Amino acid sequence: MTATLEPSAGIGRRRRRTLPWYAFGLANLAVVVVLSLVSWYLVADPEWSASGIYPQPLTAWMFWTIIAFVWAAFTFELSPFARLGQPWKGLAVAVVTGGLGALITWLLAAGWGSVDASFDGARAEGAGFILGSLIVLYSFVVYVISAVNCGHWPWTRSGLQQPWLGAASFGALVIPVVVLYLVFAVPSMATWAPPDAALLDPYTQIGFFYCVVVSAILTGAVLENWPWRLAGSPGRTALAALVGNLVVGWVLYEALVGVTHLVLGSANVAALGETLPMFGAQVGVCWVFWMVMWPNAFGNRPTGGRLGVVLVGRTVITFVLAVLTFALYYYVLAGVVLHEPAAADGATVSGSALVGMDWLIIWALWYVVAGESWGLPRPHAAVEEETS
């Protein structure tokens, strides 16, 4: 991979090193993978790390850290960090979001868990951590759709600017998040809930609602809000995105569970048993990783030509990469590289993508999105746009 030089635009003007778009993307991927592996072995690895936090409270921390990043980067559009240059901006976002993730996880498990045993971190199989972090699932749905698909409507109509726009959005959206959490999550896992109170079991909740998030990111980031933008006004676009993502999310849920059958095989599917519905999210998290990397590191290619070809091309590229990553993760990475245990009793595959792939996503968000790929030469197209 060889950096190139931008042609001189004038006498004495310093030439800037640049990279082809694919080399820039691969360089970002390499940095993210290295940062992820080194930190995994030091902090999270179930065999090599002495922390003992795998899989809980590690998973709860990652869920809360990612939603903290969504609040910072999407709801508040990184406005609290706007005056910082790189690498301090990226480092500050990482410290704040990672710190919030740790603080909220601890407050729920050790604080609220002392009041309601349902949230106690000492519950068997990390059930208290799981219940405490399930609210993040519904936060993903609400806050991602609001920012990525709806453009903060209706608060943008008021003329608010950041950080007040983010504060209004954040405060108002707490209400639907809490309602969804109380309706779906709490009855399914609270120690005091009647046995037949749950509308959906936790595995189905995670699988389905995560696929709604996949739909929101796919349509909002990769497809530039197609087809919801066809609805016209901001209000109609918001309504179309809300209803449309629920429908597309259900279709994706069914399809991605089907992908699990194809990739893992009938024997492993049988071993997964009641946890199988959650594998819509397991494939989905691999897709989310590529939907973070593709627009931000690989330039969201293709970018020219007929609109239909461009949108289908991006969808196919990110989906194929997701399925390949899912297969590689379960057959090789989780067990051999990350030392995760078997995915289920009797399974020949290891790990949970909602652990290992979320770890990668966090580093992608910190380095590529917040850190703006600090230290790497810029891609050709970005430099040409800056100097035009």
Side-chain angles (χ1 to χ4, degrees), residues 305-321:
R306 296 178 59 182
L307 179 63
V309 175
V310 169
L311 300 184
V312 171
R314 293 173 183 174
T315 303
V316 171
I317 289 169
T318 53
F319 177 69
V320 169
L321 287 171

Side-chain angles (χ1 to χ4, degrees), residues 234-371:
R236 289 197 295 268
T237 298
L239 179 60
L242 177 60
V243 176
N245 281 318
L246 288 172
V247 174
V248 174
W250 180 260
V251 173
L252 288 177
Y253 167 70
E254 296 289 349
L256 297 185
V257 171
V259 169
T260 301
H261 282 263
L262 291 174
V263 174
L264 300 187
S266 57
N268 282 316
V269 166
L272 293 173
E274 64 178 1
T275 68
L276 179 63
M278 186 173 63
F279 273 72
Q282 304 278 9
V283 182
V285 74
C286 298
W287 202 351
V288 167
F289 173 75
W290 284 108
M291 288 191 291
V292 170
M293 293 296 294
W294 201 253
N296 292 288
F298 290 88
N300 215 13
R301 303 284 173 149
T303 56
R306 296 178 59 182
L307 179 63
V309 175
V310 169
L311 300 184
V312 171
R314 293 173 183 174
T315 303
V316 171
I317 289 169
T318 53
F319 177 69
V320 169
L321 287 171
V323 174
L324 292 175
T325 301
F326 176 76
L328 181 65
Y329 181 85
Y330 275 96
Y331 283 106
V332 179
L333 295 179
V336 176
V337 178
L338 303 182
H339 308 122
E340 294 185 83
D345 290 339
T348 60
V349 292
S350 300
S352 169
L354 286 173
V355 180
M357 291 305 300
D358 268 344
W359 191 265
L360 275 170
I361 287 172
I362 287 173
W363 278 108
L365 293 173
W366 283 347
Y367 178 72
V368 180
V369 179

Side-chain angles (χ1 to χ4, degrees), residues 32-67:
V32 169
V33 169
V34 169
L35 290 172
S36 299
L37 287 177
V38 171
S39 58
W40 176 270
Y41 293 143
L42 291 174
V43 177
D45 192 286
E47 291 185 9
W48 290 3
S49 172
S51 68
I53 62 174
Y54 177 96
Q56 295 291 358
L58 174 65
T59 305
W61 172 79
M62 288 192 293
F63 270 43
W64 280 110
T65 296
I66 294 174
I67 194 60

Side-chain angles (χ1 to χ4, degrees), residues 21-274:
W21 69 269
Y22 57 86
F24 181 72
L26 291 173
N28 273 278
L29 181 61
V31 172
V32 169
V33 169
V34 169
L35 290 172
S36 299
L37 287 177
V38 171
S39 58
W40 176 270
Y41 293 143
L42 291 174
V43 177
D45 192 286
E47 291 185 9
W48 290 3
S49 172
S51 68
I53 62 174
Y54 177 96
Q56 295 291 358
L58 174 65
T59 305
W61 172 79
M62 288 192 293
F63 270 43
W64 280 110
T65 296
I66 294 174
I67 194 60
F69 187 93
V70 169
W71 293 334
F74 296 102
T75 305
F76 285 91
E77 297 174 338
L78 294 178
S79 60
F81 310 94
R83 295 184 179 181
L84 297 175
Q86 297 295 359
W88 309 114
K89 180 179 179 180
L91 289 171
V93 172
V95 169
V96 170
T97 56
L100 277 174
L103 177 63
I104 296 172
T105 299
W106 178 79
L107 287 174
L108 284 173
W112 187 245
S114 65
V115 177
D116 184 348
S118 302
F119 296 84
D120 191 343
R123 280 184 72 184
E125 299 180 349
F129 289 114
I130 295 171
L131 178 57
S133 61
L134 269 180
I135 194 171
V136 175
L137 180 67
Y138 300 101
S139 299
F140 284 154
V141 172
V142 172
Y143 284 100
V144 170
I145 289 177
S146 172
V148 176
N149 298 122
C150 303
H152 300 293
W153 184 89
W155 298 279
T156 47
R157 296 185 61 184
S158 66
L160 289 174
Q161 301 296 317
Q162 295 290 6
W164 306 114
L165 175 63
S169 179
F170 178 86
L173 294 178
V174 166
I175 298 172
V177 168
V178 171
V179 169
L180 287 169
Y181 181 63
L182 293 177
V183 169
F184 289 101
V186 173
S188 69
M189 291 197 67
T191 56
W192 43 262
D196 58 349
L199 296 178
L200 294 174
D201 65 85
Y203 303 118
T204 303
Q205 289 180 54
I206 294 171
F208 167 63
F209 285 104
Y210 197 93
C211 285
V212 176
V213 177
V214 172
S215 172
I217 298 174
L218 174 65
T219 57
V222 178
L223 305 183
E224 300 175 13
N225 220 30
W226 287 88
W228 321 133
R229 63 195 298 178
L230 298 175
S233 69
R236 289 197 295 268
T237 298
L239 179 60
L242 177 60
V243 176
N245 281 318
L246 288 172
V247 174
V248 174
W250 180 260
V251 173
L252 288 177
Y253 167 70
E254 296 289 349
L256 297 185
V257 171
V259 169
T260 301
H261 282 263
L262 291 174
V263 174
L264 300 187
S266 57
N268 282 316
V269 166
L272 293 173
E274 64 178 1

